[in-house]
PDB file of all heavy atoms in Angstrom:
ATOM      1  N   VAL A 239      16.941 -13.400 -65.916  1.00  0.00           N
ATOM      2  CA  VAL A 239      16.132 -13.382 -64.695  1.00  0.00           C
ATOM      3  C   VAL A 239      14.845 -12.584 -64.910  1.00  0.00           C
ATOM      4  O   VAL A 239      14.013 -12.485 -64.016  1.00  0.00           O
ATOM      5  CB  VAL A 239      16.908 -12.774 -63.502  1.00  0.00           C
ATOM      6  CG1 VAL A 239      18.086 -13.637 -63.142  1.00  0.00           C
ATOM      7  CG2 VAL A 239      17.344 -11.344 -63.804  1.00  0.00           C
ATOM      8  N   MET A 240      14.681 -12.032 -66.103  1.00  0.00           N
ATOM      9  CA  MET A 240      13.488 -11.229 -66.395  1.00  0.00           C
ATOM     10  C   MET A 240      12.343 -12.104 -66.894  1.00  0.00           C
ATOM     11  O   MET A 240      12.560 -13.181 -67.448  1.00  0.00           O
ATOM     12  CB  MET A 240      13.806 -10.170 -67.460  1.00  0.00           C
ATOM     13  CG  MET A 240      14.821  -9.141 -67.013  1.00  0.00           C
ATOM     14  SD  MET A 240      14.186  -8.171 -65.629  1.00  0.00           S
ATOM     15  CE  MET A 240      15.675  -7.300 -65.135  1.00  0.00           C
ATOM     16  N   ASN A 241      11.125 -11.615 -66.709  1.00  0.00           N
ATOM     17  CA  ASN A 241       9.947 -12.244 -67.299  1.00  0.00           C
ATOM     18  C   ASN A 241      10.067 -12.129 -68.817  1.00  0.00           C
ATOM     19  O   ASN A 241      10.093 -11.025 -69.368  1.00  0.00           O
ATOM     20  CB  ASN A 241       8.690 -11.523 -66.783  1.00  0.00           C
ATOM     21  CG  ASN A 241       7.398 -12.112 -67.328  1.00  0.00           C
ATOM     22  OD1 ASN A 241       7.306 -12.502 -68.490  1.00  0.00           O
ATOM     23  ND2 ASN A 241       6.380 -12.157 -66.486  1.00  0.00           N
ATOM     24  N   THR A 242      10.142 -13.259 -69.488  1.00  0.00           N
ATOM     25  CA  THR A 242      10.409 -13.234 -70.935  1.00  0.00           C
ATOM     26  C   THR A 242       9.282 -12.586 -71.720  1.00  0.00           C
ATOM     27  O   THR A 242       9.516 -11.980 -72.768  1.00  0.00           O
ATOM     28  CB  THR A 242      10.665 -14.660 -71.465  1.00  0.00           C
ATOM     29  OG1 THR A 242       9.557 -15.500 -71.088  1.00  0.00           O
ATOM     30  CG2 THR A 242      11.953 -15.221 -70.890  1.00  0.00           C
ATOM     31  N   GLU A 243       8.035 -12.725 -71.232  1.00  0.00           N
ATOM     32  CA  GLU A 243       6.909 -12.120 -71.953  1.00  0.00           C
ATOM     33  C   GLU A 243       6.950 -10.603 -71.834  1.00  0.00           C
ATOM     34  O   GLU A 243       6.672  -9.889 -72.805  1.00  0.00           O
ATOM     35  CB  GLU A 243       5.576 -12.667 -71.419  1.00  0.00           C
ATOM     36  CG  GLU A 243       5.402 -14.158 -71.611  1.00  0.00           C
ATOM     37  CD  GLU A 243       5.639 -14.598 -73.050  1.00  0.00           C
ATOM     38  OE1 GLU A 243       5.045 -13.993 -73.970  1.00  0.00           O
ATOM     39  OE2 GLU A 243       6.426 -15.539 -73.268  1.00  0.00           O
ATOM     40  N   VAL A 244       7.319 -10.109 -70.659  1.00  0.00           N
ATOM     41  CA  VAL A 244       7.430  -8.656 -70.484  1.00  0.00           C
ATOM     42  C   VAL A 244       8.582  -8.126 -71.323  1.00  0.00           C
ATOM     43  O   VAL A 244       8.487  -7.058 -71.943  1.00  0.00           O
ATOM     44  CB  VAL A 244       7.631  -8.292 -68.995  1.00  0.00           C
ATOM     45  CG1 VAL A 244       7.875  -6.792 -68.841  1.00  0.00           C
ATOM     46  CG2 VAL A 244       6.417  -8.716 -68.176  1.00  0.00           C
ATOM     47  N   ALA A 245       9.674  -8.878 -71.367  1.00  0.00           N
ATOM     48  CA  ALA A 245      10.830  -8.456 -72.155  1.00  0.00           C
ATOM     49  C   ALA A 245      10.492  -8.322 -73.637  1.00  0.00           C
ATOM     50  O   ALA A 245      11.057  -7.490 -74.345  1.00  0.00           O
ATOM     51  CB  ALA A 245      11.978  -9.445 -71.962  1.00  0.00           C
ATOM     52  N   LYS A 246       9.534  -9.138 -74.102  1.00  0.00           N
ATOM     53  CA  LYS A 246       9.125  -9.082 -75.521  1.00  0.00           C
ATOM     54  C   LYS A 246       8.377  -7.800 -75.861  1.00  0.00           C
ATOM     55  O   LYS A 246       8.323  -7.381 -77.012  1.00  0.00           O
ATOM     56  CB  LYS A 246       8.159 -10.248 -75.823  1.00  0.00           C
ATOM     57  CG  LYS A 246       8.781 -11.599 -76.021  1.00  0.00           C
ATOM     58  CD  LYS A 246       7.648 -12.566 -76.359  1.00  0.00           C
ATOM     59  CE  LYS A 246       8.083 -14.010 -76.225  1.00  0.00           C
ATOM     60  NZ  LYS A 246       6.928 -14.913 -76.394  1.00  0.00           N
ATOM     61  N   VAL A 247       7.737  -7.229 -74.848  1.00  0.00           N
ATOM     62  CA  VAL A 247       6.824  -6.113 -75.090  1.00  0.00           C
ATOM     63  C   VAL A 247       7.597  -4.811 -75.237  1.00  0.00           C
ATOM     64  O   VAL A 247       8.399  -4.451 -74.378  1.00  0.00           O
ATOM     65  CB  VAL A 247       5.803  -5.993 -73.927  1.00  0.00           C
ATOM     66  CG1 VAL A 247       4.977  -4.731 -74.066  1.00  0.00           C
ATOM     67  CG2 VAL A 247       4.904  -7.215 -73.900  1.00  0.00           C
ATOM     68  N   ALA A 248       7.338  -4.113 -76.328  1.00  0.00           N
ATOM     69  CA  ALA A 248       7.958  -2.804 -76.535  1.00  0.00           C
ATOM     70  C   ALA A 248       7.149  -1.751 -75.790  1.00  0.00           C
ATOM     71  O   ALA A 248       6.001  -1.968 -75.417  1.00  0.00           O
ATOM     72  CB  ALA A 248       7.987  -2.485 -78.027  1.00  0.00           C
ATOM     73  N   GLN A 249       7.775  -0.597 -75.577  1.00  0.00           N
ATOM     74  CA  GLN A 249       7.042   0.527 -74.999  1.00  0.00           C
ATOM     75  C   GLN A 249       5.883   0.883 -75.929  1.00  0.00           C
ATOM     76  O   GLN A 249       5.942   0.644 -77.137  1.00  0.00           O
ATOM     77  CB  GLN A 249       7.982   1.724 -74.842  1.00  0.00           C
ATOM     78  CG  GLN A 249       7.343   2.925 -74.164  1.00  0.00           C
ATOM     79  CD  GLN A 249       8.260   4.137 -74.123  1.00  0.00           C
ATOM     80  OE1 GLN A 249       9.350   4.118 -74.677  1.00  0.00           O
ATOM     81  NE2 GLN A 249       7.806   5.203 -73.497  1.00  0.00           N
ATOM     82  N   SER A 250       4.826   1.461 -75.388  1.00  0.00           N
ATOM     83  CA  SER A 250       3.693   1.909 -76.201  1.00  0.00           C
ATOM     84  C   SER A 250       4.189   2.740 -77.376  1.00  0.00           C
ATOM     85  O   SER A 250       4.938   3.707 -77.203  1.00  0.00           O
ATOM     86  CB  SER A 250       2.741   2.754 -75.354  1.00  0.00           C
ATOM     87  OG  SER A 250       1.924   3.565 -76.180  1.00  0.00           O
ATOM     88  N   GLY A 251       3.784   2.341 -78.592  1.00  0.00           N
ATOM     89  CA  GLY A 251       4.188   3.077 -79.788  1.00  0.00           C
ATOM     90  C   GLY A 251       3.700   4.512 -79.751  1.00  0.00           C
ATOM     91  O   GLY A 251       4.359   5.423 -80.274  1.00  0.00           O
ATOM     92  N   ILE A 252       2.555   4.732 -79.112  1.00  0.00           N
ATOM     93  CA  ILE A 252       1.999   6.085 -79.013  1.00  0.00           C
ATOM     94  C   ILE A 252       2.872   6.933 -78.095  1.00  0.00           C
ATOM     95  O   ILE A 252       3.312   8.025 -78.459  1.00  0.00           O
ATOM     96  CB  ILE A 252       0.553   6.029 -78.481  1.00  0.00           C
ATOM     97  CG1 ILE A 252      -0.345   5.242 -79.447  1.00  0.00           C
ATOM     98  CG2 ILE A 252       0.000   7.436 -78.279  1.00  0.00           C
ATOM     99  CD1 ILE A 252      -1.716   4.916 -78.895  1.00  0.00           C
ATOM    100  N   ARG A 253       3.149   6.404 -76.897  1.00  0.00           N
ATOM    101  CA  ARG A 253       3.950   7.159 -75.929  1.00  0.00           C
ATOM    102  C   ARG A 253       5.383   7.361 -76.428  1.00  0.00           C
ATOM    103  O   ARG A 253       5.975   8.429 -76.246  1.00  0.00           O
ATOM    104  CB  ARG A 253       3.963   6.417 -74.589  1.00  0.00           C
ATOM    105  CG  ARG A 253       2.629   6.474 -73.870  1.00  0.00           C
ATOM    106  CD  ARG A 253       2.425   7.797 -73.180  1.00  0.00           C
ATOM    107  NE  ARG A 253       1.145   7.887 -72.523  1.00  0.00           N
ATOM    108  CZ  ARG A 253       0.761   8.915 -71.784  1.00  0.00           C
ATOM    109  NH1 ARG A 253       1.574   9.952 -71.638  1.00  0.00           N
ATOM    110  NH2 ARG A 253      -0.426   8.954 -71.216  1.00  0.00           N
ATOM    111  N   GLU A 254       5.925   6.314 -77.033  1.00  0.00           N
ATOM    112  CA  GLU A 254       7.304   6.395 -77.526  1.00  0.00           C
ATOM    113  C   GLU A 254       7.423   7.479 -78.588  1.00  0.00           C
ATOM    114  O   GLU A 254       8.350   8.290 -78.577  1.00  0.00           O
ATOM    115  CB  GLU A 254       7.732   5.037 -78.084  1.00  0.00           C
ATOM    116  CG  GLU A 254       9.190   4.965 -78.459  1.00  0.00           C
ATOM    117  CD  GLU A 254       9.615   3.578 -78.895  1.00  0.00           C
ATOM    118  OE1 GLU A 254       8.749   2.785 -79.338  1.00  0.00           O
ATOM    119  OE2 GLU A 254      10.813   3.277 -78.788  1.00  0.00           O
ATOM    120  N   PHE A 255       6.455   7.504 -79.507  1.00  0.00           N
ATOM    121  CA  PHE A 255       6.520   8.511 -80.563  1.00  0.00           C
ATOM    122  C   PHE A 255       6.292   9.905 -79.993  1.00  0.00           C
ATOM    123  O   PHE A 255       6.948  10.872 -80.390  1.00  0.00           O
ATOM    124  CB  PHE A 255       5.501   8.215 -81.667  1.00  0.00           C
ATOM    125  CG  PHE A 255       5.767   8.995 -82.930  1.00  0.00           C
ATOM    126  CD1 PHE A 255       6.684   8.535 -83.857  1.00  0.00           C
ATOM    127  CD2 PHE A 255       5.142  10.211 -83.154  1.00  0.00           C
ATOM    128  CE1 PHE A 255       6.970   9.274 -84.997  1.00  0.00           C
ATOM    129  CE2 PHE A 255       5.426  10.956 -84.286  1.00  0.00           C
ATOM    130  CZ  PHE A 255       6.335  10.484 -85.209  1.00  0.00           C
ATOM    131  N   ASP A 256       5.367  10.002 -79.035  1.00  0.00           N
ATOM    132  CA  ASP A 256       5.107  11.293 -78.401  1.00  0.00           C
ATOM    133  C   ASP A 256       6.382  11.832 -77.747  1.00  0.00           C
ATOM    134  O   ASP A 256       6.708  13.014 -77.875  1.00  0.00           O
ATOM    135  CB  ASP A 256       3.993  11.147 -77.356  1.00  0.00           C
ATOM    136  CG  ASP A 256       3.749  12.434 -76.589  1.00  0.00           C
ATOM    137  OD1 ASP A 256       3.267  13.406 -77.196  1.00  0.00           O
ATOM    138  OD2 ASP A 256       4.070  12.466 -75.385  1.00  0.00           O
ATOM    139  N   GLN A 257       7.108  10.946 -77.043  1.00  0.00           N
ATOM    140  CA  GLN A 257       8.353  11.376 -76.397  1.00  0.00           C
ATOM    141  C   GLN A 257       9.392  11.810 -77.430  1.00  0.00           C
ATOM    142  O   GLN A 257      10.127  12.776 -77.231  1.00  0.00           O
ATOM    143  CB  GLN A 257       8.905  10.245 -75.526  1.00  0.00           C
ATOM    144  CG  GLN A 257       8.076   9.992 -74.274  1.00  0.00           C
ATOM    145  CD  GLN A 257       8.437   8.691 -73.579  1.00  0.00           C
ATOM    146  OE1 GLN A 257       9.481   8.097 -73.852  1.00  0.00           O
ATOM    147  NE2 GLN A 257       7.573   8.227 -72.694  1.00  0.00           N
ATOM    148  N   LYS A 258       9.423  11.079 -78.528  1.00  0.00           N
ATOM    149  CA  LYS A 258      10.397  11.368 -79.587  1.00  0.00           C
ATOM    150  C   LYS A 258      10.174  12.774 -80.156  1.00  0.00           C
ATOM    151  O   LYS A 258      11.111  13.560 -80.274  1.00  0.00           O
ATOM    152  CB  LYS A 258      10.259  10.314 -80.700  1.00  0.00           C
ATOM    153  CG  LYS A 258      11.232  10.480 -81.865  1.00  0.00           C
ATOM    154  CD  LYS A 258      10.967   9.410 -82.919  1.00  0.00           C
ATOM    155  CE  LYS A 258      11.887   9.529 -84.121  1.00  0.00           C
ATOM    156  NZ  LYS A 258      13.279   9.155 -83.818  1.00  0.00           N
ATOM    157  N   VAL A 259       8.915  13.098 -80.481  1.00  0.00           N
ATOM    158  CA  VAL A 259       8.650  14.390 -81.121  1.00  0.00           C
ATOM    159  C   VAL A 259       8.581  15.536 -80.111  1.00  0.00           C
ATOM    160  O   VAL A 259       8.700  16.700 -80.482  1.00  0.00           O
ATOM    161  CB  VAL A 259       7.367  14.354 -81.983  1.00  0.00           C
ATOM    162  CG1 VAL A 259       7.495  13.312 -83.077  1.00  0.00           C
ATOM    163  CG2 VAL A 259       6.117  14.119 -81.144  1.00  0.00           C
ATOM    164  N   SER A 260       8.397  15.186 -78.820  1.00  0.00           N
ATOM    165  CA  SER A 260       8.329  16.242 -77.797  1.00  0.00           C
ATOM    166  C   SER A 260       9.634  17.017 -77.686  1.00  0.00           C
ATOM    167  O   SER A 260       9.666  18.134 -77.157  1.00  0.00           O
ATOM    168  CB  SER A 260       7.978  15.637 -76.432  1.00  0.00           C
ATOM    169  OG  SER A 260       6.662  15.134 -76.443  1.00  0.00           O
ATOM    170  N   LYS A 261      10.716  16.425 -78.186  1.00  0.00           N
ATOM    171  CA  LYS A 261      12.018  17.086 -78.115  1.00  0.00           C
ATOM    172  C   LYS A 261      12.173  18.184 -79.171  1.00  0.00           C
ATOM    173  O   LYS A 261      13.123  18.961 -79.126  1.00  0.00           O
ATOM    174  CB  LYS A 261      13.135  16.054 -78.287  1.00  0.00           C
ATOM    175  CG  LYS A 261      13.161  15.006 -77.165  1.00  0.00           C
ATOM    176  CD  LYS A 261      14.087  13.860 -77.504  1.00  0.00           C
ATOM    177  CE  LYS A 261      13.989  12.754 -76.452  1.00  0.00           C
ATOM    178  NZ  LYS A 261      14.636  11.526 -76.888  1.00  0.00           N
ATOM    179  N   VAL A 262      11.257  18.227 -80.143  1.00  0.00           N
ATOM    180  CA  VAL A 262      11.347  19.249 -81.199  1.00  0.00           C
ATOM    181  C   VAL A 262      10.906  20.587 -80.617  1.00  0.00           C
ATOM    182  O   VAL A 262       9.779  20.715 -80.125  1.00  0.00           O
ATOM    183  CB  VAL A 262      10.446  18.875 -82.397  1.00  0.00           C
ATOM    184  CG1 VAL A 262      10.472  19.979 -83.445  1.00  0.00           C
ATOM    185  CG2 VAL A 262      10.887  17.543 -83.004  1.00  0.00           C
ATOM    186  N   PRO A 263      11.756  21.607 -80.647  1.00  0.00           N
ATOM    187  CA  PRO A 263      11.399  22.901 -80.053  1.00  0.00           C
ATOM    188  C   PRO A 263      10.179  23.522 -80.735  1.00  0.00           C
ATOM    189  O   PRO A 263      10.076  23.521 -81.963  1.00  0.00           O
ATOM    190  CB  PRO A 263      12.648  23.765 -80.301  1.00  0.00           C
ATOM    191  CG  PRO A 263      13.753  22.797 -80.589  1.00  0.00           C
ATOM    192  CD  PRO A 263      13.105  21.609 -81.225  1.00  0.00           C
ATOM    193  N   GLY A 264       9.231  24.007 -79.919  1.00  0.00           N
ATOM    194  CA  GLY A 264       8.074  24.729 -80.460  1.00  0.00           C
ATOM    195  C   GLY A 264       7.040  23.862 -81.152  1.00  0.00           C
ATOM    196  O   GLY A 264       6.168  24.375 -81.862  1.00  0.00           O
ATOM    197  N   ILE A 265       7.092  22.545 -80.940  1.00  0.00           N
ATOM    198  CA  ILE A 265       6.162  21.659 -81.633  1.00  0.00           C
ATOM    199  C   ILE A 265       4.740  21.800 -81.081  1.00  0.00           C
ATOM    200  O   ILE A 265       4.545  22.039 -79.888  1.00  0.00           O
ATOM    201  CB  ILE A 265       6.627  20.189 -81.537  1.00  0.00           C
ATOM    202  CG1 ILE A 265       5.869  19.317 -82.542  1.00  0.00           C
ATOM    203  CG2 ILE A 265       6.482  19.647 -80.109  1.00  0.00           C
ATOM    204  CD1 ILE A 265       6.508  17.973 -82.789  1.00  0.00           C
ATOM    205  N   VAL A 266       3.749  21.683 -81.968  1.00  0.00           N
ATOM    206  CA  VAL A 266       2.345  21.595 -81.566  1.00  0.00           C
ATOM    207  C   VAL A 266       1.992  20.114 -81.582  1.00  0.00           C
ATOM    208  O   VAL A 266       2.098  19.466 -82.628  1.00  0.00           O
ATOM    209  CB  VAL A 266       1.411  22.368 -82.529  1.00  0.00           C
ATOM    210  CG1 VAL A 266      -0.047  22.188 -82.106  1.00  0.00           C
ATOM    211  CG2 VAL A 266       1.768  23.834 -82.546  1.00  0.00           C
ATOM    212  N   LYS A 267       1.578  19.592 -80.424  1.00  0.00           N
ATOM    213  CA  LYS A 267       1.344  18.150 -80.333  1.00  0.00           C
ATOM    214  C   LYS A 267      -0.139  17.805 -80.420  1.00  0.00           C
ATOM    215  O   LYS A 267      -0.943  18.282 -79.615  1.00  0.00           O
ATOM    216  CB  LYS A 267       1.927  17.598 -79.028  1.00  0.00           C
ATOM    217  CG  LYS A 267       3.446  17.645 -78.970  1.00  0.00           C
ATOM    218  CD  LYS A 267       4.002  16.648 -77.979  1.00  0.00           C
ATOM    219  CE  LYS A 267       3.471  16.901 -76.587  1.00  0.00           C
ATOM    220  NZ  LYS A 267       3.984  15.880 -75.637  1.00  0.00           N
ATOM    221  N   LEU A 268      -0.462  16.972 -81.410  1.00  0.00           N
ATOM    222  CA  LEU A 268      -1.812  16.401 -81.539  1.00  0.00           C
ATOM    223  C   LEU A 268      -1.688  14.888 -81.390  1.00  0.00           C
ATOM    224  O   LEU A 268      -2.336  14.120 -82.089  1.00  0.00           O
ATOM    225  CB  LEU A 268      -2.415  16.759 -82.904  1.00  0.00           C
ATOM    226  CG  LEU A 268      -2.410  18.247 -83.273  1.00  0.00           C
ATOM    227  CD1 LEU A 268      -3.059  18.458 -84.639  1.00  0.00           C
ATOM    228  CD2 LEU A 268      -3.132  19.094 -82.225  1.00  0.00           C
ATOM    229  N   THR A 269      -0.826  14.479 -80.453  1.00  0.00           N
ATOM    230  CA  THR A 269      -0.456  13.068 -80.328  1.00  0.00           C
ATOM    231  C   THR A 269      -1.343  12.306 -79.356  1.00  0.00           C
ATOM    232  O   THR A 269      -1.876  11.259 -79.691  1.00  0.00           O
ATOM    233  CB  THR A 269       1.011  12.956 -79.861  1.00  0.00           C
ATOM    234  OG1 THR A 269       1.222  13.864 -78.775  1.00  0.00           O
ATOM    235  CG2 THR A 269       1.973  13.284 -80.994  1.00  0.00           C
ATOM    236  N   LEU A 270      -1.488  12.811 -78.132  1.00  0.00           N
ATOM    237  CA  LEU A 270      -2.172  12.057 -77.081  1.00  0.00           C
ATOM    238  C   LEU A 270      -3.629  12.475 -76.946  1.00  0.00           C
ATOM    239  O   LEU A 270      -4.007  13.594 -77.283  1.00  0.00           O
ATOM    240  CB  LEU A 270      -1.460  12.258 -75.735  1.00  0.00           C
ATOM    241  CG  LEU A 270       0.021  11.882 -75.687  1.00  0.00           C
ATOM    242  CD1 LEU A 270       0.568  12.103 -74.284  1.00  0.00           C
ATOM    243  CD2 LEU A 270       0.243  10.442 -76.125  1.00  0.00           C
ATOM    244  N   GLY A 271      -4.433  11.550 -76.402  1.00  0.00           N
ATOM    245  CA  GLY A 271      -5.841  11.837 -76.142  1.00  0.00           C
ATOM    246  C   GLY A 271      -6.000  12.566 -74.821  1.00  0.00           C
ATOM    247  O   GLY A 271      -6.649  12.073 -73.902  1.00  0.00           O
ATOM    248  N   GLU A 272      -5.399  13.729 -74.719  1.00  0.00           N
ATOM    249  CA  GLU A 272      -5.432  14.520 -73.486  1.00  0.00           C
ATOM    250  C   GLU A 272      -6.176  15.816 -73.763  1.00  0.00           C
ATOM    251  O   GLU A 272      -5.724  16.656 -74.535  1.00  0.00           O
ATOM    252  CB  GLU A 272      -4.000  14.803 -73.025  1.00  0.00           C
ATOM    253  CG  GLU A 272      -3.905  15.663 -71.774  1.00  0.00           C
ATOM    254  CD  GLU A 272      -4.433  14.966 -70.528  1.00  0.00           C
ATOM    255  OE1 GLU A 272      -5.655  15.068 -70.285  1.00  0.00           O
ATOM    256  OE2 GLU A 272      -3.647  14.334 -69.807  1.00  0.00           O
ATOM    257  N   GLN A 273      -7.355  15.957 -73.129  1.00  0.00           N
ATOM    258  CA  GLN A 273      -8.211  17.102 -73.415  1.00  0.00           C
ATOM    259  C   GLN A 273      -7.630  18.411 -72.891  1.00  0.00           C
ATOM    260  O   GLN A 273      -6.854  18.432 -71.946  1.00  0.00           O
ATOM    261  CB  GLN A 273      -9.598  16.905 -72.782  1.00  0.00           C
ATOM    262  CG  GLN A 273     -10.305  15.653 -73.228  1.00  0.00           C
ATOM    263  CD  GLN A 273     -10.239  14.548 -72.191  1.00  0.00           C
ATOM    264  OE1 GLN A 273      -9.166  14.209 -71.722  1.00  0.00           O
ATOM    265  NE2 GLN A 273     -11.374  13.979 -71.856  1.00  0.00           N
ATOM    266  N   ASP A 274      -8.087  19.519 -73.512  1.00  0.00           N
ATOM    267  CA  ASP A 274      -7.697  20.835 -73.007  1.00  0.00           C
ATOM    268  C   ASP A 274      -8.774  21.393 -72.076  1.00  0.00           C
ATOM    269  O   ASP A 274      -8.701  22.548 -71.676  1.00  0.00           O
ATOM    270  CB  ASP A 274      -7.424  21.796 -74.168  1.00  0.00           C
ATOM    271  CG  ASP A 274      -8.690  22.208 -74.905  1.00  0.00           C
ATOM    272  OD1 ASP A 274      -9.552  21.328 -75.125  1.00  0.00           O
ATOM    273  OD2 ASP A 274      -8.828  23.399 -75.272  1.00  0.00           O
ATOM    274  N   PHE A 275      -9.778  20.576 -71.726  1.00  0.00           N
ATOM    275  CA  PHE A 275     -10.803  20.985 -70.770  1.00  0.00           C
ATOM    276  C   PHE A 275     -10.358  20.630 -69.350  1.00  0.00           C
ATOM    277  O   PHE A 275      -9.567  19.707 -69.151  1.00  0.00           O
ATOM    278  CB  PHE A 275     -12.131  20.274 -71.062  1.00  0.00           C
ATOM    279  CG  PHE A 275     -12.758  20.680 -72.367  1.00  0.00           C
ATOM    280  CD1 PHE A 275     -12.669  19.856 -73.479  1.00  0.00           C
ATOM    281  CD2 PHE A 275     -13.434  21.883 -72.478  1.00  0.00           C
ATOM    282  CE1 PHE A 275     -13.239  20.216 -74.685  1.00  0.00           C
ATOM    283  CE2 PHE A 275     -14.006  22.260 -73.693  1.00  0.00           C
ATOM    284  CZ  PHE A 275     -13.912  21.431 -74.795  1.00  0.00           C
ATOM    285  N   ASN A 276     -10.919  21.341 -68.376  1.00  0.00           N
ATOM    286  CA  ASN A 276     -10.646  21.031 -66.977  1.00  0.00           C
ATOM    287  C   ASN A 276     -11.776  20.187 -66.392  1.00  0.00           C
ATOM    288  O   ASN A 276     -12.890  20.151 -66.920  1.00  0.00           O
ATOM    289  CB  ASN A 276     -10.491  22.324 -66.170  1.00  0.00           C
ATOM    290  CG  ASN A 276      -9.214  23.073 -66.536  1.00  0.00           C
ATOM    291  OD1 ASN A 276      -8.166  22.459 -66.725  1.00  0.00           O
ATOM    292  ND2 ASN A 276      -9.313  24.381 -66.652  1.00  0.00           N
ATOM    293  N   VAL A 277     -11.488  19.537 -65.280  1.00  0.00           N
ATOM    294  CA  VAL A 277     -12.500  18.755 -64.572  1.00  0.00           C
ATOM    295  C   VAL A 277     -13.614  19.697 -64.118  1.00  0.00           C
ATOM    296  O   VAL A 277     -13.331  20.792 -63.616  1.00  0.00           O
ATOM    297  CB  VAL A 277     -11.863  18.045 -63.351  1.00  0.00           C
ATOM    298  CG1 VAL A 277     -12.907  17.305 -62.534  1.00  0.00           C
ATOM    299  CG2 VAL A 277     -10.771  17.093 -63.822  1.00  0.00           C
TER     300      VAL A 277
END
């Protein structure tokens, strides 16, 4: 009953990997394009 094209699509490789390594205690992440500056 699912959209077959959506079912084919994997989660973002970037986000998936970021989530995977985020579980490592004390990790320094240089994974996402998220700035350390404020608006």
Side-chain angles (χ1 to χ4, degrees):
V239 295
M240 296 296 170
N241 181 321
T242 54
E243 298 308 309
V244 175
K246 282 182 195 173
V247 172
Q249 184 185 5
S250 160
I252 298 169
R253 289 281 178 176
E254 187 175 24
F255 195 84
D256 176 68
Q257 289 167 15
K258 181 182 179 71
V259 300
S260 293
K261 297 169 186 168
V262 176
I265 194 164
V266 177
K267 292 202 301 178
L268 307 181
T269 46
L270 303 181
E272 178 67 273
Q273 303 102 308
D274 71 319
F275 293 102
N276 291 319
V277 176

